[in-house]
Each structure stands twice: as structure tokens, then as C-alpha cells.
Amino acid sequence: MFRKILIANRGEIALRILRACRTLGVQAVVAYSEADRDSLPVQLADEAICIGPADARRSYLSAPAVISAAIVTGCDAIHPGYGFLSEDETFAEVVGAHDLTFIGPPPPVLDRFASKEGTRRLLGSYGLPTIPGSDGMLRDDEHALAEAARIGYPVLIKPSAGGGGKGMRMVRTPRELDSAIKVCRSEARSAFGDDSLYLEKWLEDNRHVEVQVAVDRYGHGVHLGERDCSVQRRHQKILEEAPTPALSPAARADLSERAIRAVVAAGYENVGTLEFLVDGAGDFYFIEINCRIQVEHPVTEMLTGIDLVATQIRIAAGEPLGFSQADVQLRGHAMEFRINAEDPAHEFRPGAGVVEAFHMPGGPGIRMDTHLYPGYEVPPFYDSLLGKLIVWGPDRATAIQRGRAALDELVVDGLTTNVEIHKALLANQTFLDGRMTTNLLDRIGSAAFLAAAART
Amino acid sequence: MPDDRDAPRRPPRGDARPDDPGEARPDAAVDARPDPRGDAARAADHAGIDRLAGTLVPALIAKLGTLNVGELEVREGDWKVRLRRPPGGGASYGRRATDRPSRAHPGHELHGHAPASPEPHRSTRAIASATAEATNGSGGPGLAPVGPGLGGEAATAGDRRLGAGALAIGGSAASADAQAQIATSPAVGVFQPGSKAVAGTRVRAGDRLGVVDMLGVPQEVVAPVDGIVVGVIVDAGTAVEYGQELVHLESAVGAEGR
């Protein structure tokens, strides 16, 4: 096991990692930016070190600052949390070059899974279904028509380069394809200087379901079930739950078993998450793998009783997993509400300010991971996550009831939060029926969503 | 910014401040002295503290602002107040309320010399709280918010002097438009003073006073103003954090600095 771990992150996840370190009996140092000097993880840490100014590029995203801090404080490992440097394989490599351990997959493993396209091909070859797409780039209109017909409409035209929706069009009929391709080519050319396009099957009303896995260095891996993260706002998850209401128990087991078999065969190591799109027919398609701890990991912890952060640290230290698939029992139903400093009535505009009053809900099955305290000033420099309220119940209905009670009990004064959107979700029939898809909020807009909830 | 931000900023902790701030808070910022003491002695102490806080400190702050000296120390009975001119670019930061002397902090021996902050708003806040308290000194919590920067209780066990608290406040309060006088660390790493980091050396703003080695890449520690080196706060080879105070300078007020 490690002697001392540098926590290179902030907010609730820094606190979560600190708690895991304490459970494991490992010393921890919290690395912080000047803007986080008064933050809870810094105050609760055994040791803390300022690594740079508020600007994340010079603190939390600065590999030299983070590594230097680890060295001068005598750490032998760095926990990157999520975001920031957590998925930077170059950072992981440099950490290794300084005889420190990156807590996550070893650099060669990170490298193998670095490219989304490469990972899709790799895991596809180990039996995971991927979204059907064109065979390479579109050569001409004839090729495009033939490929679209083979994949089946609707199809999504996607540029090879870039992102952000530029050069992307959904097409429902062969008649639209020709002109849409022309528009996409010209958009892609001007935006990325590359007009190569390919086709992907468009999944109508899809759901986002992900599988949590843990694999040790000795090739022993388990899955810890799936999470449904379909409630999103512009591709940002805001509520996650497990098990997914979208799939039958048999289909859920099949998904998780295929996921763990594929990643073990592909040589993955440490905790990770495989993300899938699930269509209306219940067919699932692998999209990408996250080689880190995820924001929504507590949902799985509530169901399994397994400390995922401690597991992640133990695997990185070279320990065997220590439990088998049979030991992983998924009990009951859990939901996580992300509490963000943003205004759902105004397009989720992010906010900052002083927490004037704060009260954390409690009771059976309630957990809150947060770095808030009364008087804390939320700095404007980082993401808007204030904490995560996680509720567990023996079944989905109980979890929802506990969620309502806990959301009502939660007090965060002084800041505008998105709590209202969660309350609205728990009053929304589509959500209550477990039929939500990734466009639940975006389809009608969050303001309309809130208004509808207010009427019920 | 409201001045009373200090108290609620502290997170819930086991060693919350004692129930009676009037009795207990001054002890956090003064020399440990023999206990138990008579009520008369305590009353006399509190009267002395009130005089210092209410009358002397504001006067000293004003005085220090006009003088070309780095530090002032005044005694009042058993009590003394020491004021120091502002550190680099703004306030001296308070050590965190939870800092404990037992921490293996880089530059940990420097309790009371918290890293200076380049953020000017901190300075304003510290001034506000210092001023409010000094003029409010009649009874109440006495010198409660007096501490380095933000944390009223920041004076640590190893540094329980009134001076330790007053230091930062005096510095901040006098800093309205004063020049910075502390060269701080530009990075987290290992400090190596340069040839100019010797007491008495005259330096120009921007002169290199040393380097902080961050993963083999030297980051320059520069003089923030024209002035004279008073002393090097951190030994060569010490691990330092970003913003930590490294070299103490006395600015050449009204001379080549302007």
C-alpha cells in the first residue's frame, strides 16, 4: 500500500478521496489552488499544499505543479479524482517517470484505451456491440447512399475531425442525404479544415446506461452492475440511478457480463466505466470507456456496499481485488441527485457566492457527498457541482420517496441551485414510469419542465 | 464584503471556539501566562487589550502608513503590539483556521508568516475586519478577529503572541497604496536563494532573489519593488508552496521606487 497520497483535485471528490485514504490508513495531502484555500478538504486534510493560483491551468491542470507538490510532500502516489488530469495519459506517464504511482490504470493501459475509435474497435472485437456505422469515410454520394441503406435510416452524418455539433446532421430519408452531405462537408471544411465524413446509425430516444467494472493487475475482474444516467441536460448528467428501469434483470445481467468479459480480455486494469446507448428495443451499443472514478460512483456503492475509491487505490497499489463476482450483491435501488450551483429557470446559468446557511438531509438510506459548509464561498472558477445527494431504498418507489423528503430537507441558502429541477423530475410521470430518455429535459427545455411540474 | 464573514467561514469542527468569546478569545492571541489568575488581573488585561485595540492600533496603523520603517512595536503594560508593513502585493494571508503546528507543512517552521497572496481583495477584507475591530474595541469580543488575515484564531499554539495577530493586520491595513515588501514563491518546489538574497543588499524591482525549483525547472523569485533585502525567510533547500513568503524587503519609499 502507499505511504502517502497527493489528492490533486478539489471539492467533494477531494473530500471523498481523503475519506478513502483515512479508511485505508494512508496519509493524504490535499493539493489546492489559492481559490480553494478555505475549502473543506483543505481544512480537514492532515496536510495541504498550495500548488498555484485560481486558474486551473496553473494549478489543478498543471502537471509540473502537481508532481512537484507530490515530491516535496513525500508522497508516493497521486490521485487525480475526475476531470482535470484524470484522463491525461501523458500526465500518468510523467507521474510514473518520477517514481510516483498514478491512481488509475497504468500508463500503457491508458494508452490502449486513449482513442475512442480505437477502443470501440478493440472492445467490439471482444464482443461488445458498437453503433453501426459506415465502412470508413464517405467517398461519394453513391457510397453514402449505399452505406446509409445498409445501416438503416435515420442516420447521423458525422465529421471525422472536431466536435461540438459542427458538420453533423441527422437524416431520415435517402432524399435528404445528398444535400445534407454537401452542407456538412462545407461546415466541416471551414471549421476543421477537413471535410471527411462518415455515417452512424441515429438512435432515437436512447438511454444512457453504463457498467461499473473493477479489474486488478492479475486479470481478475468483476462488474458492479450498471447505472442509468439518462437524465441529462445538454449531455451533462444530472441524476443517476441503479438499477436501470430500462432493462429487464436478465438483460441487465447480460450487459454487465459482456462488459466485464470484454474489458478483462482487452487488458483493462483498475476501476472503470463502460458507457452504452440503449435504444427503444433494448439493444445496447458501446460508446466509450472512462478510465477513472466517476461522479456517480456512490450509486453503485449504495447498492453493493463496496468502497470504489478505496478499491481503486488498492488496485493501483498492486493489491489483488480481494473479492469475486459472487461477493458483489446488488441490493435495492439508489439515486444520485447532483446539486449544482446553477439556475434551472435560466438555462442553468452557473452561479457562485457565499453559502449563508447549509443543512444536509439525513435518515435511513441518505448520503450526501459535499464540500459545503455554512459560510463557504463557492469560487467562480471551477465547475458548479456543490455536492451529491444519494438516496437508497429497497425498491425504486421507496428511493423516490426518500429522495423527495431529502430534497425538501436540504438547505443551501445564498446560492441558486438546481434542486428544483430534481423535485420536478420526481413529479414527472415519464421519470416516475422509468421511461426517461436522454432528451427528457432538452426536448421541452428546463423552464417548461419546471413550469409543468409546478402545475402538478 | 461583510466583516463578520470570518466566524461562519470556519467549518464545523470539534474544537469550535469556546462559549464565551469575551473571556477566551484574547487568550488565543496572547502569551500563555500563569493561570489561574484573579478576576482583577483579567479585568486589567482586558482593559489593556481594549486600549490597544481601540486606540493604539488604529493610531499605529496610520503612523506606519506614513513612516519609512518596516515594523513598529509598542508595549502597554504586559501587552505588546507589533505592526509590520505589508507583504508582497497585498495582504498576508491568514493561515487556515485549522492549521496545526504538528503539520508537516513545507516551510512549516514559519508559523505566523503565512504565504502572501497576490489577490488584492483579500487585502481589502483583512483591512475591513481590522478596522472594524479596532474601532469597536470597547468590550465585546475584544481582539477576537485579530489574526493573520482571515482567520481570527489563526495564531497557533506556537505563536500565541498578540504581535502575531497584529502583524498581519498592521501589514494589510497600512498597505492601502504601499509597495509590496515580500517576495513570494512563484511555484511549488524547492527554494534556492540567489546571491542578492542577503540582508542589506539593495535591489531593483524585478531583480532575481532566487529560484524555486519545480521539477528541475527553475522559477524565478523576483523582488516586487525597489528596496533593500531585510532577510531571507526560508532556508536554502526548503520545500515551499505557491505564494509562500520567501524574502523580506524594505521598500525604498519615495525614492527610486517611484
Side-chain angles (χ1 to χ4, degrees):
Chain A
M1 183 44 70
F2 304 114
R3 221 176 38 250
K4 202 173 181 186
I5 293 170
L6 186 88
I7 301 171
N9 213 298
R10 61 178 305 282
E12 67 88 20
I13 195 63
L15 195 52
R16 174 70 188 88
I17 299 164
L18 180 63
R19 286 174 176 149
C21 290
R22 290 199 170 147
T23 309
L24 292 167
V26 179
Q27 284 181 276
V29 181
V30 172
Y32 64 93
S33 82
E34 276 189 325
D36 284 330
R37 193 174 291 271
D38 297 321
S39 74
L40 196 55
V42 171
Q43 306 218 34
L44 293 179
D46 314 307
E47 197 179 334
I49 184 163
C50 183
I51 57 168
D55 183 351
R57 287 169 301 182
R58 293 181 56 206
S59 47
Y60 299 112
L61 281 168
S62 165
V66 168
I67 295 168
S68 181
I71 291 170
V72 302
T73 52
C75 291
D76 50 358
I78 296 177
H79 198 307
Y82 50 66
F84 295 130
L85 292 165
S86 65
E87 289 174 283
D88 185 331
E89 70 268 17
T90 313
F91 171 70
E93 234 165 79
V94 180
V95 168
H98 283 88
D99 289 329
L100 301 164
T101 303
F102 173 86
I103 297 180
V109 175
L110 273 181
D111 200 48
R112 191 176 318 152
F113 293 92
S115 142
K116 286 188 188 185
E117 190 45 45
T119 303
R120 256 179 260 191
R121 251 184 287 115
L122 178 66
L123 293 183
S125 73
Y126 288 108
L128 285 189
T130 53
I131 295 184
S134 59
D135 180 23
M137 296 304 140
L138 301 176
R139 293 190 296 271
D140 49 42
D141 289 355
E142 219 168 301
H143 182 226
L145 277 168
E147 288 296 296
R150 186 177 59 81
I151 297 162
Y153 290 89
V155 294
L156 186 64
I157 305 168
K158 290 176 89 171
S160 171
K166 287 227 167 58
M168 228 186 263
R169 284 283 186 292
M170 189 263 282
V171 176
R172 293 192 180 277
T173 64
R175 224 155 31 83
E176 299 167 61
L177 190 66
D178 179 45
S179 63
I181 285 180
K182 280 198 181 69
V183 173
C184 288
R185 275 210 204 280
S186 111
E187 272 184 18
R189 197 182 305 121
S190 61
F192 321 116
D194 176 358
D195 65 0
S196 21
L197 305 172
Y198 65 101
L199 296 180
E200 211 174 74
K201 181 157 184 62
W202 171 260
L203 296 183
E204 209 90 56
D205 271 2
N206 61 70
R207 308 180 57 124
H208 179 115
V209 178
E210 59 189 27
V211 177
Q212 176 73 55
V213 298
V215 186
D216 69 16
R217 187 164 303 173
Y218 315 99
H220 178 209
V222 299
H223 72 76
L224 295 100
E226 84 293 347
R227 294 181 289 257
D228 190 311
C229 313
S230 299
V231 181
Q232 303 184 351
R233 199 238 337 149
R234 293 198 197 128
H235 306 292
Q236 298 285 317
K237 302 167 186 170
I238 68 165
L239 186 159
E240 302 94 345
E241 66 175 304
T244 173
L247 298 173
S248 69
R252 289 170 41 217
D254 178 48
L255 171 66
S256 290
E257 278 157 24
R258 288 172 75 170
I260 186 63
R261 268 203 307 275
V263 287
V264 170
Y268 188 72
E269 180 181 327
N270 213 306
V271 303
T273 302
L274 288 86
E275 299 195 333
F276 295 85
L277 289 182
V278 178
D279 67 16
D283 291 326
F284 53 85
Y285 304 94
F286 171 73
I287 344 171
E288 61 179 270
I289 187 167
N290 294 134
C291 305
R292 55 174 163 82
I293 197 74
Q294 285 195 284
V295 175
E296 60 271 26
H297 75 274
V299 170
T300 300
E301 292 183 328
M302 298 294 267
L303 252 59
T304 59
I306 291 167
D307 182 333
L308 282 171
V309 180
T311 303
Q312 182 189 28
I313 294 169
R314 288 197 302 101
I315 293 173
E319 290 187 10
L321 196 51
F323 54 88
S324 68
Q325 191 66 60
D327 296 324
V328 180
Q329 297 291 327
L330 303 171
R331 284 187 58 249
H333 200 101
M335 272 181 197
E336 174 186 273
F337 307 95
R338 296 195 190 193
I339 309 300
N340 295 334
E342 53 188 25
D343 186 354
H346 293 95
E347 288 308 303
F348 292 88
R349 192 169 51 203
V354 177
V355 178
E356 278 153 19
F358 177 60
H359 169 75
M360 216 188 275
I366 308 294
R367 160 178 172 181
M368 189 148 183
D369 283 17
T370 179
H371 57 293
L372 294 188
Y373 62 84
Y376 173 59
E377 184 172 358
V378 176
F381 311 105
Y382 311 108
D383 78 36
S384 59
L385 186 69
L386 299 175
K388 295 147 16 184
L389 172 62
I390 307 112
V391 299
W392 179 91
D395 47 46
R396 191 168 190 258
T398 311
I400 286 171
Q401 278 168 354
R402 287 180 176 172
R404 285 196 190 111
L407 286 166
D408 281 342
E409 190 182 331
L410 174 68
V411 176
V412 183
D413 280 354
L415 295 170
T416 303
T417 71
N418 65 343
V419 165
E420 289 308 316
I421 203 83
H422 290 303
K423 292 180 180 171
L425 279 163
L426 296 189
N428 176 273
Q429 202 53 49
T430 307
F431 179 81
L432 294 177
D433 293 344
R435 291 184 287 107
M436 64 286 187
T437 50
T438 51
N439 60 4
L440 176 67
L441 290 180
D442 292 336
R443 194 174 45 213
I444 60 168
S446 50
F449 196 84
L450 284 175
R455 282 196 299 274
T456 56
Chain B
M1 295 272 175
D3 305 330
D4 57 6
R5 179 88 52 80
D6 281 340
R9 287 180 78 87
R10 269 175 243 121
R13 293 184 60 240
D15 56 346
R17 90 188 103 133
D19 292 330
D20 183 352
E23 274 295 298
R25 295 300 295 278
D27 282 348
V30 301
D31 279 315
R33 47 192 59 241
D35 241 0
R37 297 172 301 143
D39 288 340
R42 284 176 177 276
D45 278 346
H46 288 174
I49 291 168
D50 284 349
R51 258 198 312 286
L52 283 173
T55 316
L56 265 171
V57 171
L60 286 176
I61 288 170
K63 190 89 176 163
L64 192 67
T66 65
L67 291 177
N68 183 19
V69 295
E71 215 169 83
L72 275 182
E73 191 178 287
V74 172
R75 287 170 190 277
E76 164 87 359
D78 281 340
W79 304 98
K80 74 180 177 194
V81 174
R82 197 192 311 155
L83 296 165
R84 199 171 71 188
R85 284 185 61 89
S92 95
Y93 241 117
R95 289 185 61 81
R96 297 187 308 277
T98 51
D99 270 353
R100 294 180 284 268
S102 60
R103 271 189 192 182
H105 218 75
H108 147 252
E109 69 277 13
L110 296 161
H111 277 120
H113 298 270
S117 159
E119 290 176 75
H121 74 274
R122 298 284 186 186
S123 164
T124 333
R125 207 179 288 172
I127 292 168
S129 99
T131 314
E133 203 44 44
T135 50
N136 256 347
S138 52
L143 285 179
V146 174
L150 293 171
E153 61 181 24
T156 60
D159 205 348
R160 289 173 162 251
R161 286 169 297 124
L162 182 53
L167 225 99
I169 287 209
S172 302
S175 73
D177 68 345
Q179 294 147 316
Q181 289 182 301
I182 298 281
T184 59
S185 173
V188 52
V190 177
F191 176 57
Q192 295 298 344
S195 57
K196 289 190 172 174
V198 175
T201 308
R202 186 167 282 277
V203 294
R204 311 278 304 190
D207 277 3
R208 200 178 88 154
L209 298 174
V211 294
V212 170
D213 181 287
M214 181 166 74
L215 292 191
V217 180
Q219 313 282 323
E220 293 203 350
V221 179
V222 295
V225 292
D226 293 357
I228 294 166
V229 174
V230 174
V232 181
I233 301 167
V234 175
D235 290 339
T238 305
V240 296
E241 62 182 349
Y242 176 84
Q244 187 166 338
E245 299 187 353
L246 300 178
V247 181
H248 187 184
L249 300 150
E250 206 160 276
S251 70
V253 169
E256 56 268 79
R258 298 281 161 98

